[in-house]
Amino acid sequence: MLQPPMISSPLKQTSEIDWIQPLKGYIRQTYGDDPERYGGECATLNRLRQDMRGAGQDSAAGRDLLYRYYGQLELLDLRFPVDENHIKISFTWFDAFTHKPTSQYSLAYEKASIIFNISAVLSCHAANQNRSEDAGLKAAYHSFQASAGMFTYINENFLHAPSTDLSRETVKTLIAIMLAQAQEVFLEKQIADGKKVGLLAKLASQAASLYAQAVEGVTENVNKAIFERVWLLVVQIKASYMVSIAQYYQAMADDDANSHGIAIARLQVAETMAKDASRAANGFPSSIPSSSNLSSEAGTTLGDLVKRHMSNLQEKLASFIKDNDFIYHQNIPAEASLPVIPKLPAAKAIPVSELYQGQDIQRIIGPDIFQKIVPMAVTESASLYDEEKAKLVRAEAEKVETANGEMAASLDYLKLPGSLNVLKGGMDQETSVDEEFRGWCEELAGHESFGRAFEHLQSDKSHILSSLDSCTRQLDMEESLCEKMRTKYGGEWIQQPSSRLTATLRSDIRSYRGAIDEASSSDAQLLGTSRQYESDFEEMRSAGETDEADVLYQRAMIKAGGNRGRGKNGVGTPISPAGGEGTLLDEDYGESGPSVMDQIARIEDLLKKLNLIKKDRMQVLKDLKDKVHNDDISNVLILNKKSIANHENQLFQAELEKFRSHQTRLVQASHKQTALMKELTKSYGDLLQDKRVRSEQAKYEGFTRQRNSVLLRYRKVFQAFNDLIAGLMRAQSFYTEMKDTVESLDKNVETFVNNRRAEGGQLLNQIESAKAASAGGQADRERDRLRDLMERMSVDPTSPPSRTKSSASRPPPLSRPSQVNSSAAYKSPPISPPYSTKPPSHPYLPQSQTPAAPYHAYPPQHPSNGSFHQDQPPRVDPYHPSYDPMHYPYQNSTSPPPTQTMYPPNLSYPYQQHAPNLPQGYVPPPPPPGPPPGVQQGYPQYGHAQQGPRPGGGQPGQAQGDPWAGLSAWK
């Protein structure tokens, strides 16, 4: 079988270039990386271009090699700007038709030339197919369309062509030739398959139209000396030949439609066009240029095809004329009045994105050579696509969760499948001890009674209250003694009153008593709870220790009425077979319709189907997540980087369509679940309405209420046990902290009283010493007074009144004790640190309330009066073993002078102990006749801090015991 020759485009040729050095230089300058790390990648790209130069014309491997290099150029363009201003490489290509060289620094020119060669290889591949076989026909048909698609890509993406072969007019002509030949190949296939003549006429009409367009473009390019003249002869011959074919098959169709006159007219037109094609074929040159890519037999083959077609056509025309003359006698219309034959396009340009449809494009292009250098634009687009996938997965997961929730809620409302056990005699399982109840009993096992814990708390509380009472008594006694001494000595007793100094201590005592009272109230509540549940605690403890929780549970169920309607053992089946009554499933009470067993089996079957739907739905969701996780369109984004600008959403939606099947399966599962739930609800409702079921259902509901009542009761008991444990632990912690705090308070009170006692004793010694010294001076004055009085009473007028020398020479009397700076003789020990009034945290108050720290843990609070205790030495811990309150240098006394009536607020004061009470109305004895020997010499020294004795050391010869012990001798 003769096959018409086909036109194929020649390939462009190119010069050798070097990719390695320019790329390395750009990597060093722009990416700041070591270019030697990418030496292999640069060499690979350079080798790809060398291989591309040797790609064959009729080879699928050559096509893939060209496309691999082109794909790597697209990937390269994302990272390296190859142009005159950046990576400067001169690409030289020779025109495919004129063979003139053209050089540019643009990577776009390199890619356009590669695309042109891909189209040329595809056209050569199609033209050289053996179309007498189906595989050859299909390959030729696809390759011609793919070639037209690649040529279309050039016209759409590369403007301002630098060479004639890439110009828009030339490429447009090539597209028309490729599409016309693809249409012709499809027509050949339909003629071979014996399709209807009407269809063949339309296909041939479209082919004739495409060849007519090609004739115009080829004529223009031949006139410009771009195409070979033989191309024009071929397209002219085929244009006339296709018109003749179309008229021939349409004539056959008109004859079948009894339009014999029109059929004859069409055959006459077909004959005319065939003669034109024959004349053009006869003018075909015998020598064909090699650049035309046509075989030497092309002209002969075309001539033979036209002659064969003309012979067949003339035979049909003679037969139709004869039949019309003898039989039909229809008029033969003129050619101009013949209806136009409709056109049926069967060929279209295949886009680049569909060129490798069904093939692994990643395998053809290979891995990204420079994948270590990630372009930011691709990363951002891939992130946007990942977000779209995440939205899809979240939406489907929410739908699945909603469907599962609806199923669970419906089954829970219907109490399925648990309620079926009642109808099948499964109540025995419900009477077994609840595992939660068994756990409660095991928790209480081995736990002792709470009585000892409460006794310990009471003991701690009594100890704390006793300490507080002791502190109060010490402060009261000290204050009472101070006031009695003030009453006795009046202004000479300059010790500061105790009431202001003990305000903080007394406030702490009251605060701690209040905390103890509140704790007592909480202790009473705990004790009440313990007594309320004491018997229950004992039962559960015993059951846990002896592993008889089931016995206690059954006893509680019996007590709650759980044995009603049961067998003799209390745990029998709803209708015990042992009783000879038969089971509910066997009893029909004379009713017609399906038995209870059949209805239960139907419900169980529906439940199984629902579970299978849920399982299948979860598996589909898992598969969807895995597919989404493994989906990567980075290569698609790279290959379509230029075409998807501002159209990413459309690409994303197209890519997300691959998950449509999983979404559809999830929707179908939800619809099927809805239908099954409706059927299950109806079937279960019918079962519950059955009289054979109602009584047992009521019995089960009552049993469930009783069981819940027992569990609720013991849950309260177990909760009370835990609350008691926690409450007692908090109470024990509270009393432990309170004991430490009160002990610290007791030490502070003791220190305060001791210091006050020492200060009072020193002050009393000063007062007594001053009185003893002033007693001798008062006797001398009384003697002088009597002498003067007697002199005035003398009868001797010549005796002048005069003082004796002894009187004038007598030293002046000692000053009053109040005039002596007694305060300078005694430096009170440092004030005990202030203490907080906040008691330890209460066991039933919020745990943020912490107990008061020991008193010595706080810094001292100095009074606002700046003249008070300004020279106080560094603080010493009063509880330190080396602490001695009488060991410090003498300074001003902490007590104010007797004339001071106002005291600074919050005035701290050294602590002292109380002294024995003085008798009421005590009158001191009369002074001695004269001052004690050595008093006048020793006493002034006592008033100087740098010379006086230290407190606690006493006067020479003074006892080192209680400084107030001498008061007892005054009684």
Side-chain angles (χ1 to χ4, degrees), residues 709-723:
S709 174
V710 170
L711 291 179
L712 178 62
R713 175 198 169 191
Y714 282 99
R715 183 177 288 108
K716 290 181 179 179
V717 173
F718 183 70
Q719 183 63 40
F721 173 79
N722 289 332
D723 291 344

Side-chain angles (χ1 to χ4, degrees), residues 393-546:
V393 171
R394 285 196 298 269
E396 297 303 323
E398 289 178 359
K399 294 178 182 177
V400 169
E401 185 177 357
T402 301
N404 291 339
E406 291 176 353
M407 177 191 294
S410 300
L411 295 180
D412 183 66
Y413 176 76
L414 297 175
K415 299 179 182 179
L416 291 173
S419 59
L420 294 180
N421 293 334
V422 180
L423 306 180
K424 295 190 298 183
M427 240 173 129
D428 292 336
Q429 301 174 2
E430 300 295 334
T431 59
S432 60
V433 63
D434 188 86
E435 291 301 322
E436 188 178 16
F437 179 84
R438 187 185 299 275
W440 297 339
C441 294
E442 292 175 355
E443 285 285 339
L444 268 69
H447 194 274
E448 297 181 358
S449 175
F450 292 106
R452 300 181 65 181
F454 282 107
E455 292 176 359
H456 186 67
L457 292 182
Q458 185 63 31
S459 174
D460 290 345
K461 181 170 63 176
S462 300
H463 176 74
I464 293 171
L465 292 176
S466 175
S467 297
L468 292 176
D469 291 340
S470 174
C471 291
T472 303
R473 284 194 303 270
Q474 291 186 60
L475 294 177
D476 290 343
M477 292 176 65
E478 190 279 328
E479 182 177 1
S480 174
L481 181 59
C482 179
E483 294 306 316
K484 288 180 179 180
M485 297 300 291
R486 194 182 313 281
T487 301
K488 175 178 178 59
Y489 291 103
E492 293 179 341
W493 189 261
I494 60 174
Q495 188 178 27
Q496 188 173 352
S498 301
S499 58
R500 291 184 178 274
L501 303 178
T502 60
T504 304
L505 291 171
R506 293 183 183 276
S507 175
D508 284 351
I509 294 173
R510 289 192 298 271
S511 176
Y512 297 161
R513 286 188 183 275
I516 293 298
D517 292 341
E518 293 180 5
S520 299
S521 176
S522 299
D523 294 345
Q525 295 179 7
L526 288 177
L527 182 59
T529 303
S530 175
R531 291 175 177 174
Q532 178 182 356
Y533 295 102
E534 185 174 4
S535 59
D536 295 325
F537 291 160
E538 182 62 24
E539 287 181 351
M540 295 179 69
R541 182 192 62 77
S542 176
E545 292 176 350
T546 58

Side-chain angles (χ1 to χ4, degrees), residues 6-12 55-68 70 113-131 135-154 174-175 177-179 181-182 185 231 293 348-357 359 364:
M6 297 292 178
I7 296 175
S8 61
S9 173
L11 275 68
K12 293 171 67 70
Q57 293 184 352
D58 181 18
S59 171
R63 175 202 62 183
D64 292 346
L65 189 60
L66 286 166
Y67 199 80
R68 181 178 297 115
Y70 174 78
S113 300
I114 298 297
I115 292 293
F116 184 93
N117 276 1
I118 293 175
S119 302
V121 169
L122 288 170
S123 66
C124 294
H125 181 68
N128 294 326
Q129 293 295 320
N130 181 11
R131 300 194 299 276
L137 275 171
K138 292 179 180 179
Y141 176 65
H142 178 269
S143 295
F144 277 131
Q145 293 181 98
S147 178
M150 300 300 284
F151 280 127
T152 303
Y153 185 78
I154 294 175
L174 292 174
I175 293 172
I177 293 174
M178 298 304 149
L179 289 178
Q181 293 181 145
V185 170
W231 278 24
N293 285 349
K348 65 176 182 178
I350 298 178
V352 177
S353 59
E354 299 179 11
L355 177 59
Y356 287 92
Q357 187 174 11
Q359 300 187 38
I364 295 174

Side-chain angles (χ1 to χ4, degrees), residues 173 212-229 231-233 235-236:
T173 302
Q213 296 176 17
V215 168
E216 296 178 2
V218 172
T219 300
E220 182 179 353
N221 282 278
V222 169
N223 293 336
K224 294 180 180 180
I226 298 175
F227 290 171
E228 295 290 344
R229 191 169 186 82
W231 278 24
L232 179 59
L233 292 175
V235 294
Q236 286 176 342

Side-chain angles (χ1 to χ4, degrees), residues 64 139 142 319 383 399 473 478 585 622 638 698 758 788-789 885:
D64 292 346
H142 178 269
S319 174
S383 298
K399 294 178 182 177
R473 284 194 303 270
E478 190 279 328
L585 303 181
K622 181 179 180 299
I638 291 173
D788 291 340
L789 180 59

Side-chain angles (χ1 to χ4, degrees), residues 818-896:
S818 61
Q819 296 173 351
V820 179
N821 188 6
S822 61
S823 297
Y826 171 70
K827 167 63 178 66
S828 63
I831 302 173
S832 182
Y835 32 81
S836 169
T837 59
K838 182 172 68 174
S841 60
H842 194 276
Y844 313 108
L845 296 178
Q847 296 303 311
S848 60
Q849 298 183 5
T850 57
Y855 300 113
H856 59 275
Y858 296 90
Q861 297 179 352
H862 297 287
S864 59
N865 187 353
S867 62
F868 186 65
H869 276 198
Q870 292 181 351
D871 300 328
Q872 185 173 357
R875 175 182 175 275
V876 177
D877 188 352
Y879 305 129
H880 193 275
S882 62
Y883 171 69
D884 183 2
M886 308 300 293
H887 187 64
Y888 296 92
Y890 298 118
Q891 295 184 6
N892 293 336
S893 172
T894 57
S895 297

Side-chain angles (χ1 to χ4, degrees), residues 626-689:
D626 294 341
K627 189 173 183 180
V628 167
H629 178 72
N630 297 325
D631 182 36
D632 183 12
I633 65 168
S634 298
N635 292 325
V636 177
L637 293 173
I638 291 173
L639 295 177
N640 297 275
K641 179 177 181 294
K642 303 293 179 63
S643 61
I644 66 172
N646 301 323
H647 297 86
E648 290 181 340
N649 288 333
Q650 290 84 337
L651 176 64
F652 292 165
Q653 295 304 321
E655 290 294 328
L656 291 176
E657 285 297 319
K658 65 171 69 81
F659 309 118
R660 181 66 62 185
S661 60
H662 292 78
Q663 294 176 281
T664 303
R665 290 174 62 186
L666 291 176
V667 172
Q668 291 174 350
S670 297
H671 291 333
K672 191 172 182 181
Q673 173 183 308
T674 302
L676 287 176
M677 284 304 306
K678 290 182 179 178
E679 185 177 357
L680 176 64
T681 303
K682 182 179 182 303
S683 300
Y684 189 66
D686 294 342
L687 176 64
L688 294 182
Q689 295 300 320

